[in-house]
Amino acid sequence: MNKKILTTPIQNGDIEGLTIGDIVYLNGYLITSRDDVHQRLIKQNKPLPVDLAGKAIFHAGPIMKERQDEPGKYDVISIGPTTSMRMEKYEKEFIAETGIKLIVGKGGMGDKTAEGCGLYKAVHAVFPGGCAVLAASQVEEVECVKWLDLGMPEAMWVMRVREFGPLIISIDTKGNNLFENNKKLFNEKKERIVAGINQHVDYLE
């Protein structure tokens, strides 16, 4: 099976054929953007210091180490994903205003983000939890950092990555939502299983 690799700048045609459950990898620019970055743009109307059009963002708070021999240059020690649902409140507007094409994080996102992905042609993908050191190894270079006044976890770290992944598509450009679909499926199975168990056991009320 051929490995599907997305390369920034990502075009609509690169992602329109993806569907939930597909596995992809990323080459190019990946920029960390968590709660404070979203709030500054959407709530506080502050322009971003990085052009995100066609690029990928990572819901992540990395651990970076400044190089002693090169002040202002950083190496990634660890960079695990942050729970993406924390950004649900702002993500639809964030997609619309920035032109991002790939959102990477942990866990699923909700209906607003799914609607935004459908309207503006973007996808959300899940990076496996517990693999923060693996993620760090896939960063070729930290080019720069913006908004470091927010602190290391919330700043915008502009990174170039090579075959960053695996990334599991959880929301596609049609607005299909893997996590929401699975919730419905699991709940249907749960109801039948619980009903079957209740026929054989009793409990105190």
Side-chain angles (χ1 to χ4, degrees):
M1 184 175 68
N2 293 330
K3 182 184 289 187
K4 173 67 175 179
I5 298 177
L6 300 175
T7 302
T8 60
I10 299 168
Q11 307 296 324
N12 287 351
D14 298 331
I15 57 177
E16 285 178 326
L18 296 175
T19 188
I20 52 175
D22 286 350
I23 296 175
V24 300
Y25 295 79
L26 176 69
N27 285 346
Y29 283 99
L30 179 64
I31 299 98
T32 58
S33 304
R34 289 207 324 177
D35 310 58
D36 286 353
V37 171
H38 284 69
Q39 288 193 50
R40 276 194 173 180
L41 176 66
I42 305 303
K43 187 177 180 181
Q44 300 173 14
N45 296 311
K46 292 185 178 181
L48 294 181
V50 180
D51 181 6
L52 296 180
K55 297 186 178 71
I57 64 168
F58 194 14
H59 296 156
I63 298 173
M64 298 286 188
K65 183 179 180 180
E66 190 170 10
R67 297 177 185 171
Q68 292 184 348
D69 58 337
E70 291 184 84
K73 296 291 289 183
Y74 293 84
D75 293 316
V76 189
I77 305 302
S78 174
I79 183 166
T82 297
T83 301
S84 286
M85 192 59 78
R86 284 169 41 178
M87 275 54 74
E88 172 68 15
K89 182 177 180 180
Y90 300 112
E91 203 68 81
K92 177 183 175 182
E93 291 79 7
F94 198 88
I95 296 168
E97 293 201 24
T98 63
I100 57 170
K101 293 301 174 184
L102 173 62
I103 305 156
V104 181
K106 180 173 68 176
M109 298 195 76
D111 291 340
K112 286 186 66 178
T113 299
E115 183 179 357
C117 287
L119 285 172
Y120 307 112
K121 302 306 175 188
V123 294
H124 177 269
V126 177
F127 185 88
C131 298
V133 175
L134 170 65
S137 73
Q138 296 168 343
V139 176
E140 290 189 315
E141 183 181 1
V142 180
E143 285 203 353
C144 63
V145 58
K146 303 293 185 181
W147 283 350
L148 192 53
D149 60 295
L150 294 174
M152 183 179 291
E154 295 291 343
M156 298 186 76
W157 296 93
V158 180
M159 304 174 294
R160 283 190 295 103
V161 298
R162 180 75 175 174
E163 294 194 11
F164 187 87
L167 307 174
I168 305 167
I169 300 298
S170 70
I171 299 176
D172 60 28
T173 58
K174 302 173 185 63
N176 297 313
N177 191 323
L178 178 64
F179 280 78
E180 292 303 315
N181 289 357
N182 283 345
K183 283 181 187 177
K184 295 175 183 177
L185 178 63
F186 297 156
N187 284 333
E188 290 174 0
K189 290 184 176 181
K190 180 185 72 176
E191 291 175 3
R192 292 196 300 269
I193 292 171
V194 171
I197 292 172
N198 286 342
Q199 294 178 5
H200 304 285
V201 299
D202 196 7
Y203 55 91
L204 296 176
E205 296 183 356

